[in-house]
Amino acid sequence: MQAVFLNTFYAENLSGASYAVNKRLELFLRHQVVAKVMTTKFYLTNRYFFEKHFPNQKSSFLEFIDVLTSTIQVPEKKVLVDENFFNKLGFLLKKNEHKAIDRRSNYVTWTTYPDGRILEVSYHNREGEIVRIDGYDYRGFLSVKSYYEINKDNHLCMTRREHLNQYGQTMLTYYFTLEKKLRKIIWQTDRGFIYTFNSEDDLLITALKQYTKEKSEKYFVVADLFITETLAKLAKLNEQNNVALFVQLHNIQFKETQENDPIRIGYSYPILNNNYYNGLIVLTDRQKKDIDSVVENQNNIYTIPENWFSSQDVKRHRLVKWDDKEDGLVIISARLDKVKQIDQAIKSVIFAHSRVPKIHLEIWGSGPEKEELEKIIQQEDAEDYIFLKGSLDNKSMKKRLSEAQLHLLTSKNEGLPMVLFESQLGQTPSICYDIDYGPDAIIINRVNGDLIAANDTKYLAMRLEDLFKDDEQGILRHYAFNTRATIDKYNESSIWLLWKNLMEQTFKHENYNY
């Protein structure tokens, strides 16, 4: 049996859902199940960023494009910027000018991956217009050729994109209009058969069917996706007898907010059509209860948390000492987005700091709300104790969380926030809005943190003051001590048993060696 996890793409900054996919991948690999993460949206940098974030799982990554171009297994080599590289292309390198020129005064420029490997080479004509951009797979071969034209609005538009195999043969071609819309996609197989597609979703389904064509193999597929059209078409994959397709629901809610605004309604399709899939996997019992209330078939809704703690995590948790934590440090780790409502946390901290001056807040993350948050901090003259710190890699962020005395979560909605697990691992209590979903699955009110009414900034401010005005910090120490119950509840064996039982149930109790 093989597990396949479908995730959209990978970038410099990852969502909590992408970290959750990796935790699941790591869990399956630790229990000797062959498992892969497959991206469903092509970006040339997907592989680089996956390997950057999860170097130990690099052999478990593939693009859906890799399936169609027969490039799943390719020997890796480093292709760097040097004279030899450009000489082979027919250009003379002018490194000081960051270009290489041919005899007809055409020239190329280039970009690299952060580690110096060639990423793209742009071909310019004598007038300086880009006519083609070649993209290089991180493994070191020319994998993409993109051709450009100027449209009627004088904008540069890609009209054709070719995907090549490692031998330079074009296997897949995308055609676009000058209005930047997809016209068609043509796939030529290794045997020379030609197939035409009108949408990338149809191409994705073909790639998955190609990947799972070995009838003697069983495929346990989990879709960590949310776009309605993709999920609807993906249901066709479940028609194969050797494939079991599940949809993982992360932070997307079916129920409506108090303001009656649907939250990312993309997930309403698999919920209302859950019989098209082997099942839906939710993160908390509270979420399952909401979904059970609107579906006819409740027998294929499964609750499996997205995180777990290993024996090494238990050891790290025990090594944390409260007296080593930074006095008065409060942390937020989140995407700087309106749904996170970080402005509410800032205002509460401002009030609490005026009463207990040692309270200071670090906000870790990046996103579209950065300027707005900076403006609030400046207007309130809070630059000396509220800091926008930018992004950290996951390992460093866990360390910084373990150095804090309190973590805040003031989101409008969540799934099962990874940051709450990471805070508990560092013996750092949390104050959370009691929202859908996640906080109440980890935080027991007044035991290992506080659950408070959503948007109650006055109470949040008062609670911050109460917790920190106590010089002995007795309540916070008590909360920190009780985080060990979270570590026990979400231990590796318990979470793996849920997945193991689901796989055995799905494939009729066949005995797999995991």
Side-chain angles (χ1 to χ4, degrees), residues 79 112 147 162 184 236 239 300 317 324 427 466 496:
V79 179
T112 64
Y147 297 85
E162 299 173 353
K184 62 180 177 180
K236 295 178 183 177
E239 296 170 2
N300 71 342
H317 178 266
D324 293 337
Q427 294 194 32
D466 288 343
W496 174 244

Side-chain angles (χ1 to χ4, degrees), residues 108-169:
V108 296
T109 57
W110 65 89
T111 58
T112 64
Y113 290 97
D115 66 355
R117 301 187 196 190
I118 283 284
L119 172 61
E120 289 183 331
V121 175
S122 300
Y123 290 79
H124 305 253
N125 59 25
R126 284 179 292 183
E127 287 72 37
E129 299 169 334
I130 293 177
V131 294
R132 192 178 95 211
I133 297 178
D134 288 355
Y136 288 78
D137 189 283
Y138 187 62
R139 293 168 293 180
F141 68 96
L142 174 60
S143 61
V144 182
K145 289 184 177 181
S146 302
Y147 297 85
Y148 292 82
E149 295 180 21
I150 302 294
N151 69 10
K152 62 182 180 181
D153 296 322
N154 205 35
H155 293 150
L156 188 68
C157 296
M158 180 170 56
T159 56
R160 188 168 91 250
R161 189 178 79 214
E162 299 173 353
H163 292 264
L164 289 62
N165 64 17
Q166 67 188 97
Y167 306 110
Q169 299 168 312

Side-chain angles (χ1 to χ4, degrees), residues 356-375:
V356 186
K358 70 178 179 181
I359 295 175
H360 55 291
L361 173 66
E362 290 183 356
I363 302 168
W364 291 91
S366 60
E369 286 294 291
K370 181 181 178 182
E371 289 186 11
E372 186 62 31
L373 297 177
E374 284 177 336
K375 196 179 297 182

Side-chain angles (χ1 to χ4, degrees), residues 258-270:
Q258 293 177 350
E259 298 80 21
N260 296 316
D261 294 327
I263 304 173
R264 295 183 72 181
I265 201 65
Y267 265 137
S268 62
Y269 180 86

